[in-house]
Amino acid sequence: MRSFALRFVVAVAIAALLVILALPLVALLFRVPPASLWHYIQQPIVIEALKLSLFTSVIATIAVATLGIPVAYLLATYHFRGKRLVEVLVELPIVLPPTVAGVGLLLAFGRAGIAGKALSALGLSIPFTTLAVILAQLFVATPYFISAVVAGLREVEPKYRDVAMTLRASPMHLFRRVLLPLALPSLLAGAAMSWARALGEFGATITFAGNLMGRTQTMPLAVYSALQSDLDSAVALAVLLILFSFAILAALRFAPWGAAIGGRDSDARRRGR
Amino acid sequence: MIATMQSLMLVTMVGAIIPPGKPAPQREKVTVFAAASLTAAFNEIADTLRHHDPTVEIAFNFAGSQALALQIQQGAPADVFASADDHWMKVVHDAGLTKGAPAVFVHNHLVVIVPKENPAHIVTLHDLAKPGVKLVLADPAVPVGHYARTTIDALAKQPGFPANYAEDVNARVVSNEDNVKGVVAKVQLGEADAGIVYLSDVTPAVAKAVTRIAIPEPANPLADYPIAVLRRSTSKAAEAFVQLVLSPSGQDVLARNGFVPVRASH
């Protein structure tokens, strides 16, 4: 940071980003007086949406972690033919427009979709159900988790692994007792990221799961529905969603192991101990 | 090295902010905000206008009328607003955002559509109340969603319909879509058992995938579509577009697309 020009560029970049990222949030917060927020919180549309959003996003995040950890482990530690392709496939949902993801989910798991017949035989009809909401969230949130965990596992110093191997640790034991604890910060970071992505998911949800209060109308859909008729209640809902996400993400950061969400600095601190 | 990086960064930053200058040809731009149900018809009318006057550039924003009204109230750069009902046009007009009074340019009727495979075996309007039917409507705030509920209530009062018909049908709703095309798509894909849309939404492409069930006249509201040039518009082509929509040739295009013209076309 010695050169003035560099400092100037950094300052401009920070200012520009602050304006672009923070100003819309501030504008939303200023639109609705805090006193009336309480009035909006008590409306059924808000309560139902909040409950549904919490439930679905938590279930989706647990599912993402359960399915994501083995895949991330595979990608981080083994080399195999077609690995690049798997990595691309895993990251694809990030660039796919959510609405297109929703259509894809319909064509795959819808009643008339590719897997629809098999699902019908099992007595399952997924679209327009809470399960569809969770599937949509799982689809869009998985990549964030996997890329974070893969990065975390790759950062674990090889010497730990070597020592464990020398001591005849089985691969499973090595993973559970050595790799996973060391990669825990990135695992939590990935879970927080994918949880946030699931909570904010809109396009795939409305396309695949539809929009019905109490069943498929999550917070973002409720915001959109309110926007159709009443701007102020939509903004109030959005503010609630922001405060809510902020509270959870902040709690994660400031928790005892919270620096983990910050990534590398916690590593440095652990080495310093 | 760092100096090169900096200059590169600065150049890219500035380049991203200032668009390259190009000589502006004398083109007349017009931006039309129109209800989603007008998509096919208005695109056809725009082609006529472009063919007639190549200097005109028409940009469309098709969405639910309620979303368009909100965008216009928030200062969106629109020249013309075509709404699927009086309510949202009135909201814009009452806010003093239109030039002169809006004109009704076309009418529309509702129709029930079911997928060709008809998984729920819906043959008559009575069948909509059957348990287990997945009915998809537009949100009550969307014009077609509001009309659909009016229709359901009106049907319940018709002779031959049970007293709890409206209640039962409303209980079959599995999704409230944000615009009419969302309803069409879900029926077209065979995911919904039935949907209530405008007659004009059953385009030739849609007709291949769905079956229509007519709604009798007394219970079928005639939707009025008003159009207006917006106050903030400086486009000379805006008025031309509205006139073309109201002209016999524009009305013909609308009629071909399943709408009910406001005057008998010549």
Side-chain angles (χ1 to χ4, degrees), chain A residues 238-250:
Chain A
V239 168
L240 279 178
L241 188 60
I242 293 166
L243 293 177
F244 191 72
S245 316
F246 181 83
I248 302 247
L249 291 173

Side-chain angles (χ1 to χ4, degrees), chain B residues 15-182:
Chain B
I17 294 163
I18 302 166
K22 52 170 189 250
Q26 283 303 308
R27 299 190 72 86
E28 199 52 61
K29 282 203 181 75
V30 55
T31 307
V32 179
F33 279 32
S37 47
L38 293 161
T39 307
F42 269 24
N43 274 321
E44 211 175 314
I45 289 175
D47 286 341
T48 313
L49 190 57
R50 281 189 205 106
H51 184 76
H52 181 73
D53 181 359
T55 64
V56 174
E57 259 185 67
I58 304 178
F60 283 114
N61 176 16
F62 292 111
S65 306
Q66 74 294 343
L68 298 172
L70 181 78
Q71 290 165 3
I72 291 165
Q73 281 178 293
Q74 294 297 316
D79 297 305
V80 176
F81 178 39
S83 166
D85 70 357
D86 290 333
H87 173 78
W88 292 108
M89 180 58 86
K90 193 173 175 312
V91 167
V92 170
H93 182 63
D94 288 354
L97 298 170
T98 60
K99 273 185 190 156
V104 171
F105 66 97
V106 82
H107 306 293
N108 211 341
H109 279 295
L110 295 191
V111 66
V112 173
I113 52 172
V114 298
K116 269 276 193 288
E117 310 81 46
N118 202 350
H121 309 294
I122 297 168
V123 185
T124 68
L125 295 171
H126 290 78
D127 296 337
L128 291 178
K130 284 196 307 196
V133 165
K134 292 189 173 72
L135 176 65
V136 172
L137 299 181
D139 194 275
V142 185
V144 70
H146 172 74
Y147 290 132
R149 285 161 178 86
T150 310
T151 288
I152 292 165
D153 289 343
L155 280 175
K157 294 189 180 75
Q158 295 289 312
F161 282 86
N164 54 354
Y165 179 77
E167 202 178 316
D168 287 350
V169 173
N170 284 323
R172 306 292 169 253
V173 177
V174 292
S175 179
N176 295 300
E177 297 292 316
D178 55 47
N179 75 66
V180 69
K181 298 301 180 191

Side-chain angles (χ1 to χ4, degrees), chain A residues 5 110-111 206-207 210-211 228, chain B residues 6 66 175-176 186 190-191 193:
Chain A
R111 199 166 52 177
I206 197 164
T207 309
N211 177 25
Q228 316 283 324
Chain B
Q6 279 172 34
Q66 74 294 343
S175 179
N176 295 300
K186 290 211 164 58
E191 297 303 338
D193 292 328

Side-chain angles (χ1 to χ4, degrees), chain A residues 3 5-6 8-9 12-13 31 106-107 110-113 125 127-128 202 206-212 215-216 224-225 227-229 231, chain B residues 2 6 9-10 13 64 66-67 70 74 88 115 117 119-120 134 136 139 141-142 171 173-178 186 189-193:
Chain A
S3 100
L6 186 63
F8 175 75
V9 169
V12 167
R31 167 93 198 185
L106 267 183
L107 294 176
R111 199 166 52 177
S125 171
F128 311 119
F202 172 81
I206 197 164
T207 309
F208 182 48
N211 177 25
L212 192 72
R215 197 190 311 174
T216 61
Y224 194 81
S225 278
L227 203 54
Q228 316 283 324
S229 47
L231 180 62
Chain B
I2 287 195
Q6 279 172 34
M9 269 172 77
L10 277 170
M13 276 161 74
Q66 74 294 343
L70 181 78
Q74 294 297 316
W88 292 108
E117 310 81 46
K134 292 189 173 72
V136 172
D139 194 275
V142 185
V173 177
V174 292
S175 179
N176 295 300
E177 297 292 316
D178 55 47
K186 290 211 164 58
L189 287 168
E191 297 303 338
D193 292 328

